[in-house]
């Protein structure tokens, strides 16, 4: 355990009194990957959809309260391929800090994975790997409530920060689940990851086009939206579609 803690990559994101990102350390850049680009100068709330900003507000309020339990100052963030634990803590009262000074720190840590040494030791007490529960309905927000969409009605899915926008023939809807979880829980026979930020429903794919050396799906929806195909996924998709 001590060895694991010594080797843990801990990211640090500093915020000013307006909750604007001032700086990130190299570990934060590694943990966030492509999402780290353009974060400096961005406001924390702008990185989250309006419907989830209340949760961020609770986290920040707890960070400034010395008596708040550790759990109230923490939240889990799902990213493709990893889950991060985010812990917030106040560095100084906002009234005492000068303009542009860091008053809040966000610590980022990857949720623990078994070490290679642990993986070599048989552990019959460990539960079997659980397969994600298939999604029968897609929970999306509409107005002040939640609508349960039939997955077959989803034309394509687009990453929106840590959340997802579900595009249908009737419009776009916010979904609070990350794209990586939707990929794991939707029917893989129909839903295919074409890009880091996109999943298409092949049942709504009308054509595949190439433009400037890049491929894209043309979807059967109003406006014939084009969904990009990344180069590292193109070959697998060609084989799947017998192209």
């Amino acid at each position: 355990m001590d060895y694991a803690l010594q080797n843990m990559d801990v990211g640090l994101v500093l915020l000013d009194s307006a909750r604007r990102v001032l700086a990130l350390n190299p570990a934060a850049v590694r943990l966030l990957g492509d999402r780290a680009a353009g974060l400096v100068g961005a406001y924390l709330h702008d990185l989250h959809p309006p419907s989830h900003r209340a949760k961020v507000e609770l986290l920040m309020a707890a960070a400034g309260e010395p008596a708040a339990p550790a759990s109230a100052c923490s939240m889990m963030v799902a990213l493709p391929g990893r889950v991060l634990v985010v812990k917030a803590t106040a560095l100084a009262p906002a009234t005492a800090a000068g303009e542009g000074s860091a008053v809040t720190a966000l610590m980022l840590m990857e949720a623990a994975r078994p070490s290679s040494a642990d993986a070599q030791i048989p552990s019959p007490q460990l539960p079997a790997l659980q397969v994600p529960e298939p999604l029968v309905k897609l929970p999306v927000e509409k107005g002040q409530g939640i609508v349960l969409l039939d997955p077959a009605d989803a034309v394509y899915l687009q990453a929106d920060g840590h959340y997802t926008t579900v595009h249908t023939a009737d419009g776009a809807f916010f979904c609070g689940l990350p794209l990586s979880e939707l990929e794991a829980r939707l029917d893989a026979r129909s839903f295919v990851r074409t890009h880091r930020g996109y999943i298409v429903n092949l049942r709504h794919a009308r054509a595949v086009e190439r433009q400037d050396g890049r491929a894209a799906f043309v979807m059967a929806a109003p406006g014939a939206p084009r969904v990009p195909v990344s180069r590292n996924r193109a070959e697998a998709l060609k084989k799947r579609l017998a192209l």
Side-chain angles (χ1 to χ4, degrees):
M1 173 63 99
D2 292 341
Y3 178 81
L5 290 174
Q6 289 174 1
N7 288 273
M8 180 179 290
D9 221 6
V10 179
L12 187 65
V13 179
L14 299 180
L15 307 176
D16 66 10
S17 58
R19 297 176 184 170
R20 183 172 49 202
V21 178
L22 292 176
L24 300 84
N25 72 343
V29 175
R30 288 193 295 272
L31 289 169
L32 293 171
D34 293 342
R35 288 171 170 77
L39 277 186
V40 174
Y43 289 92
L44 182 64
H45 280 195
D46 291 343
L47 303 175
H48 298 269
S51 58
H52 282 67
R53 290 173 185 171
K55 184 176 180 181
V56 176
E57 185 65 31
L58 290 173
L59 175 74
M60 299 300 292
E65 178 54 57
S71 59
C73 304
S74 306
M75 65 184 296
M76 306 288 282
V77 176
L79 298 178
R82 64 179 51 177
V83 175
L84 299 183
V85 179
V86 180
K87 296 186 72 67
T89 182
L91 299 178
T95 55
E99 185 177 354
S101 300
V103 299
T104 306
L106 301 179
M107 291 172 286
L108 314 179
M109 295 158 285
E110 187 167 8
R113 296 179 179 179
S115 67
S116 57
D118 294 338
Q120 296 172 5
I121 302 175
S123 181
Q125 298 178 346
L126 290 177
L129 181 64
Q130 294 184 351
V131 177
E133 189 73 22
L135 275 178
V136 179
K137 292 287 187 178
L138 275 173
V140 300
E141 294 187 6
K142 187 174 182 181
Q144 300 299 315
I146 300 294
V147 174
L148 299 178
L149 286 181
D150 189 331
D153 292 334
V155 177
Y156 68 98
L157 314 176
Q158 181 178 5
D160 180 11
H162 306 311
Y163 312 103
T164 303
T165 299
V166 179
H167 295 269
T168 73
D170 297 322
F173 301 90
F174 172 82
C175 177
L177 299 175
L179 199 66
S180 56
E181 181 174 345
L182 292 173
E183 180 184 19
R185 299 181 64 184
L186 289 169
D187 188 348
R189 294 171 298 180
S190 300
F191 291 89
V192 178
R193 190 78 169 257
T194 65
H195 185 277
R196 184 181 64 237
Y198 292 90
I199 293 174
V200 300
N201 184 349
L202 290 176
R203 298 183 184 277
H204 291 279
R206 176 183 295 166
V208 178
E209 292 184 349
R210 294 190 67 85
Q211 185 175 358
D212 298 328
R214 293 185 177 274
F217 278 98
V218 180
M219 308 305 295
R226 301 174 82 255
V227 179
V229 176
S230 61
R231 287 195 175 102
N232 62 334
R233 299 178 189 270
E235 195 60 35
L237 286 169
K238 285 171 64 177
K239 290 180 180 179
R240 178 161 185 174
L241 298 171
L243 297 176

